[in-house]
């Protein structure tokens, strides 16, 4: 197993389920390229498991918690846990948001490499956001996102559509309609103030769910090193689950 993708961190584990941390830059599951490494297979090798099913998925660049089922007889239970769980993400975005809390709602339809907004025939996408920090000098904000639906690229699309794309997002990133300016000239003038990153700064930070015994389990996965320069003064603790308004 390659050194850069060994010893994945496990944040929760029972006989049937586990949550592990996916690093950025590796696909969650097998791709068309049979020689390409993927997180699920490497984790299964690391833990010497005969069965490991990926219950949720993250984009290639996105880091953080991924839910797995270890018992094929528990697949339906795993799906129910995921459906009823609270999933929160940490985002670093370009620009300074005026609101402290806001919710984005639209209908999305899958395309080849990206999704698009439609007015009929799409799937409803709802994301709630909370602003944790604003840095006008360096032109970025730190946000929490709570998924109320689970559409592909949902968080990335909603933030880009609002005009505050995720730092490093090469698909839904800075465009003429971003918060940096209304014209191409404005954009070029202010481009030097756009914070940079080698990848999209989106991290699956936390999951909260009910265990079989009825007890609430809250799992937090601290963000990796490339987030830290943006997080001065931001506390990562279980109270973040209570920052949202929509239940």
């Amino acid at each position: 197993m390659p050194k850069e993708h060994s010893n994945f961190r496990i944040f929760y584990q029972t006989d049937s389920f586990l949550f592990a941390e996916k690093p950025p830059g590796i696909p969650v599951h097998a791709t068309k390229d049979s020689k390409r490494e993927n997180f699920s297979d490497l984790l299964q090798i690391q833990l010497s498991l005969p069965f490991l099913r990926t219950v949720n998925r993250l984009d290639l660049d996105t880091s953080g918690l991924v839910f797995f089922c270890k018992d094929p007889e528990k697949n339906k239970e795993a799906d129910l846990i995921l459906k009823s769980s609270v999933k929160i993400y940490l985002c670093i975005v370009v620009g300074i948001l005026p609101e402290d809390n806001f919710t984005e709602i639209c209908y999305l339809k899958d395309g080849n490499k990206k999704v698009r907004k439609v007015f009929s025939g799409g799937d409803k996408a709802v994301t709630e956001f909370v602003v944790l920090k604003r840095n006008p000098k360096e032109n970025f904000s730190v946000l929490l996102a709570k998924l109320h639906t689970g559409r592909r690229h949902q968080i990335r699309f909603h933030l880009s559509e609002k005009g505050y794309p995720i730092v490093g997002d090469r698909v839904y990133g800075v465009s003429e309609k971003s918060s940096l300016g209304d014209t191409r000239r404005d954009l070029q003038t202010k481009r030097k103030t756009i914070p940079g990153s080698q990848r999209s700064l989106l991290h699956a930070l936390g999951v909260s769910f009910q265990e079989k015994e009825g007890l609430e389990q809250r799992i937090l996965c601290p963000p990796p090193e490339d987030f830290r320069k943006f997080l001065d003064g931001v506390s990562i603790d279980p109270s973040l689950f209570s920052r949202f308004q929509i239940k």
Side-chain angles (χ1 to χ4, degrees), residues 1 185 219:
M1 191 184 304
R185 177 178 294 179
I219 305 168

Side-chain angles (χ1 to χ4, degrees), residues 129-222:
F129 295 94
V130 176
V131 177
L132 298 179
K133 176 182 177 178
R134 298 176 177 88
N135 186 324
K137 183 178 180 180
E138 298 183 42
N139 194 35
F140 71 85
S141 300
V142 180
L143 277 63
L144 279 182
K146 178 181 177 180
L147 292 180
H148 289 275
T149 56
R151 310 305 174 205
R152 178 182 177 226
H153 296 180
Q154 175 176 321
I155 295 172
R156 295 165 61 191
F157 181 87
H158 274 157
L159 288 170
S160 177
E161 181 75 5
K162 189 173 176 65
Y164 301 89
I166 292 176
V167 171
D169 192 333
R170 291 169 178 80
V171 176
Y172 302 99
V174 172
S175 66
E176 281 75 12
K177 67 183 295 184
S178 79
S179 60
L180 299 181
D182 295 329
T183 68
R184 197 175 291 270
R185 177 178 294 179
D186 289 336
L187 180 66
Q188 294 299 327
T189 300
K190 298 180 181 181
R191 185 173 292 280
K192 67 177 69 175
T193 68
I194 300 173
S197 172
Q198 295 300 309
R199 58 109 171 185
S200 180
L201 291 181
L202 178 63
H203 177 73
L205 178 68
V207 176
S208 172
F209 62 95
Q210 295 288 327
E211 294 184 302
K212 194 172 183 179
E213 297 79 11
L215 299 174
E216 183 185 25
Q217 181 69 233
R218 288 184 173 183
I219 305 168
L220 276 178
C221 173

Side-chain angles (χ1 to χ4, degrees), residues 31 86 178:
T31 64
V86 173
S178 79

